[in-house]
Amino acid sequence: MEPIIIAPMASLAALGFVGYLVWSILKEELGNPRMREIYEAIREGAQAYLSRQYRALLTLMVIVGVVLGLAINWNTGVSFIAGACLSALAGYLGMNVAVKANVRTANAAHRGIGAALRVAFKGGAVMGLFMVGLALMGVTVFYFLWTDPILFAGFGFGGSLVALFARIGGGIYTKSADVGADLVGKVEAGIPEDDPRNPAVIADAVGDNVGDVAGMAADLFETYAVTIIGAMLLGAFPVFNAQRVTYPLLLGAVAIFATIVGTFFVRIRKTGSPTSAILQGIAVTVAVSIAGFYILTVYTGMGMGIFYTTIVGVVIVVLLALLTDYYTSYEHSPVRKVAEASQAGPGINIISGLANAMESTILPILVICGGVIAAYFLAGGGVVGFYGVAIAAMSMLSVAGIIVSVDAYGPIVDNAGGIAEMAELSPEVREVTDALDAVGNTTKALTKVFAIGSAGLAALSLLFAYVLEVAKFGGGISLDNPVINIMDARVLVGLLLGGGITFIFSSLCLKGVGKGAFRMVEEVRRQFREIAGIMEGKAKPNYGRCVDISVRTALRGMALPGLLAVLSPILVGFILGAEALGGLLIGAIVTGLALALFMANGGGAWDNAKKYVETGKLGGKRSPTHAATVIGDTVGDPFKDTAGPAINPMIKAINMLSVIFAPLIVAAPLLLVL
């Protein structure tokens, strides 16, 4: 049997298991009429937003697909449309099942923490396995059709473009609602989080699903697909090698089977906890994957050096997880110091949080640097060394199914807690959902850094692929002299532009949140002021008005940063040339990786500093210290949930676009000779 047949088998197994999980979730009861009412409001709001977002993107995707088909070749155009559609489908189905799991998790909490954990994790596993199953199936089908990976590089770009807009739009939506709800509800009105008297509470719940669930699904779909394609491109150069080209597909297939096995180990034992149950599932998945990678490597004759690069990828995941936990969990000193600094007011909270966020970037970067060097030399150096780095990235992404499952679990239990609060369920139920939510905050932080680290390695793989594509078509960059010379003015300009793009991109994302949060604050204040009886619980807020504000702000705010990411490599490449574009890619990767880590870790620390105080420390809730941490959290929210995550698809989109347009850029008549 040819090894490649494992890839479609694994994809079908993932999709079949997803069907079983959905059936299992839908068997659970929805709960009482009030819970059903809240569930319907969240479901309708989430579906309405995604439908409007996808309609807005449809025209753009068709135009880009046609342009790629005419400018490059029809294969690229077709694969682009396929990648965009499957990325959108992964986000849409994952979000819909997550919404269905939210209310069922809240109802299952009546039976205890074990029952609620099972429902919530199944909801997350639907998204995780559906995402990797679709991505692997798509790439495998195109490989069977066309063999040469450059012909279906558009598949990865299609996923990147949808993920880019999903991350930006979903992030602006969720943080506009969250920040507005917190500033007026918690700080000004002094009411709890998820209190039904807060007009923004439904918009906040919807935002968790369209941002953290649909956005993450699209993000890691494209990272997974782009990483496979990048490794395949390097495996096909300089002479097509079928084993090297298909090896990344087989790694993904092995890990899918391992993920299915791992899901059965996510269960609370008599002396266990939700954290230990989730870590147990991840550990089993990783262990089974490594064993499978070894068998696969021996069977295909790829050599032990390549197998060791897969271990490098796994080690990077583990180290990044440990470092993220240290800098974002209130069990450790960095977050506690941010909380303690808040006793002096919100200004000192911000200063301490920024310092912690800056410090948190260097160790993950050192881990990634060490991983790149190790993978490069273990694989043998040269072009094969670049391939080894790509395989290390693929090893990281191969376990994305279980990682995304854990990530989607977070917003599911967050929504479940909100439903329990709004439906006024018993304190015992709320204790269960709070315990699950506390774990969810940590898992969401871990997944964000996983996405950032894997995005950095994937972008490096694409950078190598870009250099090789330029060399193939006779550009100034050659295999004999592959170094992009910074003494070339064009390269230097490209480096500076690439470094600046990530900052202006992040600025546009943050401004979108700022505008939405401002409108949300004004609307919540207006309703508190004008609708008599809200604070007494005698009148119902106008939730729909707040949902509409988030929708309109998100759809408007995602356009400009998205266009910036698409147009910048095209303009630099065609005006300044292939060398300058290489510089831009390097600049964007370096600053993008550091800035994304800074924002993700900083936001997580601010959030958990607030939660540390809410446990009763340093004065507890309704103290001046708590008010200061809430202010810090409102700064950190768009960091960790909007701008930071959006950088991931941005740097991969510009790299994949550069790979696709490399032949035209090399031959462009508009090159500016400096």
Side-chain angles (χ1 to χ4, degrees), residues 213-525:
V213 179
M216 175 59 80
D219 185 357
L220 281 176
F221 173 94
E222 64 90 15
T223 303
Y224 190 89
V226 161
T227 304
I228 293 177
I229 294 171
M232 294 174 78
L233 285 168
L234 292 173
F237 197 91
V239 178
F240 186 88
N241 184 313
Q243 285 185 332
R244 289 215 305 255
V245 170
T246 58
Y247 187 72
L249 292 171
L250 301 179
L251 290 178
V254 167
I256 283 179
F257 289 119
T259 300
I260 293 173
V261 173
T263 60
F264 290 101
F265 287 83
V266 180
R267 58 182 67 247
I268 298 178
R269 303 186 184 279
K270 292 182 180 180
T271 59
S273 66
T275 301
S276 61
I278 287 173
L279 292 178
Q280 186 173 263
I282 295 174
V284 169
T285 300
V286 170
V288 175
S289 294
I290 291 174
F293 295 163
Y294 176 79
I295 295 170
L296 174 67
T297 306
V298 171
Y299 185 77
T300 56
M302 288 292 292
M304 294 308 295
I306 294 297
F307 168 70
Y308 295 143
T309 65
T310 68
I311 303 298
V312 169
V314 173
V315 171
I316 291 174
V317 172
V318 173
L319 292 178
L320 289 180
L322 293 173
L323 291 171
T324 303
D325 182 65
Y326 177 71
Y327 280 106
T328 62
S329 170
Y330 62 61
E331 299 296 329
H332 305 292
S333 62
V335 171
R336 293 190 178 190
K337 287 179 180 178
V338 174
E340 290 164 3
S342 306
Q343 296 174 98
I348 309 304
N349 169 281
I350 300 299
I351 293 171
S352 178
L354 287 173
N356 178 64
M358 291 176 181
E359 179 188 319
S360 73
T361 63
I362 187 62
L363 290 179
I365 287 174
L366 288 175
V367 167
I368 293 171
C369 289
V372 169
I373 292 172
Y376 178 82
F377 286 107
L378 284 170
V383 175
V384 179
F386 297 154
Y387 179 74
V389 175
I391 291 302
M394 186 59 218
S395 173
M396 286 184 68
L397 263 299
S398 68
V399 295
I402 193 74
I403 299 296
V404 174
S405 301
V406 170
D407 179 77
Y409 155 90
I412 288 173
V413 295
D414 189 6
N415 266 202
I419 291 171
E421 178 82 27
M422 287 184 275
E424 299 178 345
L425 301 184
S426 67
E428 292 78 13
V429 170
R430 185 65 194 188
E431 286 177 10
V432 169
T433 58
D434 283 348
L436 294 176
D437 190 26
V439 179
N441 288 324
T442 302
T443 61
K444 285 189 289 185
L446 295 176
T447 309
K448 284 183 175 65
V449 173
F450 169 81
I452 293 166
S454 59
L457 282 180
L460 285 175
S461 301
L462 292 174
L463 173 64
F464 301 151
Y466 169 75
V467 171
L468 297 179
E469 283 298 309
V470 171
K472 183 191 299 183
F473 291 97
I477 306 170
S478 69
L479 288 178
D480 295 329
N481 183 26
V483 178
I484 299 174
N485 185 6
I486 63 170
M487 298 304 292
D488 186 327
R490 292 170 296 180
V491 174
L492 185 59
V493 168
L495 283 167
L496 294 173
L497 289 174
I501 282 172
T502 57
F503 283 89
I504 190 64
F505 175 85
S506 300
S507 170
L508 293 170
C509 293
L510 293 174
K511 284 182 177 180
V513 174
K515 291 176 183 177
F518 178 83
R519 296 189 184 108
M520 192 67 67
V521 166
E522 290 296 301
E523 175 60 23
V524 174
R525 285 174 175 168

Side-chain angles (χ1 to χ4, degrees), residues 153-240:
F155 183 86
F157 180 54
S160 295
L161 205 55
V162 168
L164 181 65
F165 286 104
R167 269 303 196 187
I168 299 169
I172 291 174
Y173 185 114
T174 184
K175 293 303 112 179
S176 296
D178 193 8
V179 171
D182 279 356
L183 286 177
V184 184
K186 287 185 177 180
V187 177
E188 296 181 7
I191 59 178
E193 188 173 359
D194 300 321
D195 193 297
R197 293 173 291 178
N198 193 325
V201 71
I202 295 296
D204 188 12
V206 172
D208 288 338
N209 292 287
V210 301
D212 289 338
V213 179
M216 175 59 80
D219 185 357
L220 281 176
F221 173 94
E222 64 90 15
T223 303
Y224 190 89
V226 161
T227 304
I228 293 177
I229 294 171
M232 294 174 78
L233 285 168
L234 292 173
F237 197 91
V239 178
F240 186 88

Side-chain angles (χ1 to χ4, degrees), residues 116-133:
L117 173 67
R118 284 194 296 273
V119 176
F121 185 76
K122 284 178 182 177
V126 167
M127 188 177 83
L129 283 165
F130 189 64
M131 179 273 296
V132 294

